[in-house]
Amino acid sequence: METEQMIRKLPFIVAVWALLLSCGGGRKAAVSSTSQEPAAPARPAFNADSAFAFVKAQTDFGPRVPGTPAHRACAAWLAEKLKQFGAETVVQSFQTTTFDNTVLDCRNIIGRINPDSPVRVIICSHWDSRPWADNDPDPGKHKTPVDGANDGASGVGVILEIARQFQLKAPQIGVDCIFLDAEDWGPGPDFKGRHLSEYWGLGTQYWARNAFKAGYKARYAVLLDMVGGQGARFSQETYSVMYARNTVDKVWNAGAQLGYGSLFVPENGAFVTDDHYFINTIAGIPAIDIVPYLPGLEDSSFGPTWHTSQDDIAHIDRRILGAVGETLLYVLYNEKQ
Ligand code: AHN
Ligand code: ZN
């Protein structure tokens, strides 16, 4: 009886078995197909350890305070790295006067990738270090310069790693990597005068006014500021949303797609007077700022080490560098002519 039943059911069993096989085969074929798969994001090959090494190389010079030997040496190193990665490199030397009437010798360092492409995107970060750790809990440190591992070096490290990746696989568009000088010589909490936006971002103001007069255009600019701090979280900074909503969405959506939705939080942040403000208002290029916003923190919404002696390499989280770098690289590789 049992055997008889089996035999009667045999055609059915064979049919089911054949169906399972064909389904399996079908799934396999779909996985190996390159053209018809729905777009699962292809992760660009950003190397967080390499970015971290570029951050450390900068802090190893010591604080890159304008006018110091460490500043000059680091400028030469940055230009050399960009050249080494195949970017057309331009160093823009200039003098600028600070809020406290100090005249500084400065350098904006620019590396152009695909220099002949008419469609261009800017990625930028300030590379100078603040001369005073005037947000340190210890007032004795307020006149000591900061290492600026996060505040300065982090964004530059991410951009250098992107430039290195572009040498291995070029983007479809032109990319201008810009290391901006003299961002951070602004007045601190003890300053008694009026706080003006123009006291910050001196290198960017110079670049926006002088450098690219002759018909220079860019589709948009992305500023990286403090993109390696432990516990970072990036809300959408208000000037960025006001001037460049589409670019904010593009970057935050890319972050979410890659699985970094808890880092790139689609929430409103605060107004930050930063380099992107002058790219928007002087150069007229839509510019966003990827900058941390931690409103619960007592001493600084930029993170606990901001303008303190703790802004050193020991407080850098290479996973944050990696997430930001991968997200930005993904955006740039997907940018079409
Ligand atoms: C102000 O504190 C007004 N702006 C912050 C700009 C900045 C300083 N970014 C890094 N360091
Ligand atoms: Zn700063």
Side-chain angles (χ1 to χ4, degrees):
M1 190 67 174
E2 295 238 306
T3 319
E4 219 176 19
Q5 236 175 6
M6 273 285 272
I7 289 166
R8 262 191 282 120
K9 281 189 176 166
L10 199 59
F12 173 74
I13 291 165
V14 169
V16 169
W17 176 67
L19 193 71
L20 284 174
L21 259 188
S22 78
C23 284
R27 259 203 306 277
K28 245 186 210 155
V31 166
S32 63
S33 125
T34 48
S35 58
Q36 281 165 0
E37 273 291 283
R43 285 181 179 276
F46 186 89
N47 186 325
D49 293 330
S50 171
F52 182 86
F54 292 141
V55 177
K56 182 167 186 303
Q58 293 169 77
T59 58
D60 285 348
F61 284 101
R64 283 81 61 219
V65 173
T68 64
H71 182 260
R72 279 189 291 278
C74 187
W77 181 80
L78 290 171
E80 195 48 46
K81 292 315 274 186
L82 288 172
K83 274 185 208 154
Q84 196 185 317
F85 299 147
E88 185 185 282
T89 303
V90 184
V91 177
Q92 189 179 54
S93 299
F94 60 98
Q95 285 194 325
T96 189
T97 305
T98 65
F99 82 96
D100 59 359
N101 287 311
T102 309
V103 178
L104 303 177
D105 286 316
C106 292
R107 287 171 173 76
N108 293 330
I109 301 156
I110 303 163
R112 313 191 76 218
I113 288 149
N114 292 341
D116 298 327
S117 169
V119 177
R120 314 205 63 78
V121 169
I122 295 169
I123 54 177
C124 55
S125 190
H126 81 90
W127 72 273
D128 59 304
S129 320
R130 183 164 181 79
W132 321 285
D134 48 3
N135 198 45
D136 201 283
D138 174 2
K141 303 246 167 77
H142 285 193
K143 290 196 158 62
T144 309
V146 301
D147 266 1
N150 196 29
D151 192 357
S154 64
V156 172
V158 167
I159 291 170
L160 280 176
E161 172 57 11
I162 289 176
R164 192 180 76 85
Q165 292 295 337
F166 282 163
Q167 189 174 38
L168 304 172
K169 182 187 167 208
Q172 288 170 261
I173 51 153
V175 175
D176 292 322
C177 304
I178 310 185
F179 301 143
L180 299 156
D181 205 350
E183 187 276 334
D184 224 348
W185 199 296
D190 303 334
F191 179 65
K192 294 287 177 279
R194 220 156 72 84
H195 287 259
L196 303 179
S197 305
E198 286 67 27
Y199 292 152
W200 304 88
L202 300 176
T204 305
Q205 293 182 59
Y206 181 86
W207 175 83
R209 291 207 168 88
N210 300 283
F212 287 78
K213 269 184 198 157
Y216 177 80
K217 285 200 187 76
R219 190 172 273 177
Y220 59 86
V222 179
L223 172 66
L224 305 181
D225 195 9
M226 303 179 266
V227 293
Q230 294 166 350
R233 188 176 183 274
F234 305 109
S235 305
Q236 301 177 335
E237 186 276 333
T238 314
Y239 289 121
S240 309
V241 174
M242 280 175 53
Y243 287 103
R245 170 90 256 173
N246 294 344
T247 304
V248 168
D249 288 340
K250 188 183 284 199
V251 171
W252 263 253
N253 288 340
Q257 277 201 351
L258 292 167
Y260 304 127
S262 57
L263 186 62
F264 286 92
V265 188
E267 285 172 8
N268 291 325
F271 284 102
V272 180
T273 304
D274 211 341
D275 292 304
H276 71 311
Y277 175 76
F278 302 106
I279 301 177
N280 279 305
T281 57
I282 302 174
I285 296 166
I288 70 162
D289 193 5
I290 301 179
V291 64
Y293 183 52
L294 304 157
L297 278 192
E298 210 178 299
D299 294 319
S300 156
S301 60
F302 296 128
T305 69
W306 183 69
H307 295 181
T308 75
S309 59
Q310 305 273 67
D311 184 5
D312 55 17
I313 195 71
H315 292 83
I316 293 295
D317 184 341
R318 70 184 78 205
R319 294 168 306 178
I320 310 268
L321 298 174
V324 171
E326 199 182 311
T327 300
L328 192 51
L329 198 49
Y330 177 82
V331 166
L332 295 170
Y333 276 136
N334 283 294
E335 202 67 41
K336 308 281 189 298
Q337 281 288 343

